Amino acid sequence: MIAGFLGLLVKREGRKFRRLEDVGGVPAVLRAAGSMPEMPALYVHIPFCRSLCPFCCFNRYLFREELVRRYFADLKRELEQYIGLGFRFSRIYFGGGTPTVLMNELLGFIDLLHRHFSVEEISLETTPRELTEGNVGLLRGAGISRLSVGVQSFDDQILRAMGRVNGPAEEVKKRLLLAEGRFRTLNVDFVFNFPGQRLDQFATDISVFKSLGIDQATFYPLMASPHKKDALERRFNRVDNSREKRFYNLILDAVYHEGYKASTVWCFSRGDHLIDEYIVESDDYIGIGAGSVSIVRDHFLVNTFSVERYHELTSRGELPLIGMRKLSPGESRYYYLLTKLFGMKLDTRDFLRRFGRDSGKRLGFELALLKAAGVLRGDSVLQVTENGMYTVSVMMREFFTALNSLREHCIENQL
Ligand SMILES: C[S@@+](CC[C@H](N)C(=O)[O-])C[C@H]1O[C@@H](n2cnc3c(N)ncnc32)[C@H](O)[C@@H]1O
Ligand code: SF4
């Protein structure tokens, strides 16, 4: 009940992110890089995959070698624009699509990053199909500290239903073992509440994950924006969010209660400092590539989603931005609250440092509501309770779903 109510509130807030203004040149907020107290993280989007999974809600296109080579050249031009503006990055996240889709281009780009910046860590996503002994060695050599692999399920029936073409589950397990122990963090992604997925199948996914001895898993509730929902329901069964909590309770019982710490409400790890969610680790980040967004000093900036338009704009030496939104002070605080809830805790001293005001005064009503609903507890450091974790998961799902409709709108209109 409370999860649904808070989810609706978040959906409303998330929708505001779709109302964008024109940019017209380099926004003033990006000209002030030199005066930023802390450099933002860098997110690099590689929107190509060797096959397209029907459920996927990210900006992605089918692999074509010449297109991917041209894209990496465009990406370098966009990066150089930010360097020219004074940005320096030490925490870097590659997402997709599939960043490893063309290894020599990826390695060339990472080399450029090392030449320009003093890089502290690089996180990168890949698929099991690209997890070969050769690639693992190359990625280690390039300084990748955190590798995340999209497994989705170890059940062949579910993998087929999802349209995954990464080989049968037995093959996926073997490939994961190639990477196990070779990176500071190895993460595997799963999707739960997929149409037709049974609880016992998901329970088996979790036990296989544990038996492989991998330290971290991220469990994504199926996120279906209205358009994607229709498409999924035409192809599969009904997307039924009323089943979601039962899946989530299984994660709590079989993972959280079994010694894995919640780094976010979706990500569970053994050991410390394993998280690789840039929206939790970094208040500000710059996103480059087609379909990336940035959050910089209370500004939300959106790049074009079209690879063609991305090429046109970067070739003209322009930033590939299609819109921005200056967040109101209230929107900024809500966004901050949501990302901290997602990361399981809100430190009121950090809030004071960031906003110059006490969280009790600025978020008094919201924090009181979350405490009364049993989602948060504590004083100076507010912790998400075990009972509150599912509520936060619903809030985050609604927020991402609202952003997905921005994504769909941009993709459909080739913005
Ligand atoms: C951008 S993908 C990158 C991983 C890689 N391309 C792969 O699929 O193996 C990151 C993760 O997002 C999750 N994901 C993609 N579409 C989703 C959706 N509609 N709902 C929930 N999770 C989704 C999947 O778990 C996927 O592994
Ligand atoms: S789930 Fe991964 S491999 Fe599938 S389309 Fe999305 S990004 Fe590409």
Side-chain angles (χ1 to χ4, degrees), residues 382-396:
L382 298 161
Q383 288 281 348
V384 174
T385 62
E386 184 179 328
N387 278 338
M389 286 168 76
Y390 177 65
T391 301
V392 175
S393 170
V394 171
M395 291 165 79
M396 213 56 204

Side-chain angles (χ1 to χ4, degrees), residues 23-40:
V23 179
V26 179
V29 66
L30 296 181
R31 292 189 188 278
S35 61
M36 288 189 182
E38 202 187 320
M39 274 290 148

Side-chain angles (χ1 to χ4, degrees), residues 48-60 96-98 125-127 150 152 164 166:
F48 300 101
C49 301
R50 299 238 172 213
S51 74
L52 301 182
C53 312
F55 67 92
C56 176
C57 55
F58 292 87
N59 192 34
R60 79 280 200 255
T98 308
E125 292 175 347
T126 191
T127 67
Q152 322 315 349
R164 297 285 287 180
N166 290 288

Side-chain angles (χ1 to χ4, degrees), residues 11 110 246 312:
K11 190 177 191 164
I110 295 176
R246 275 176 271 157
E312 268 168 44

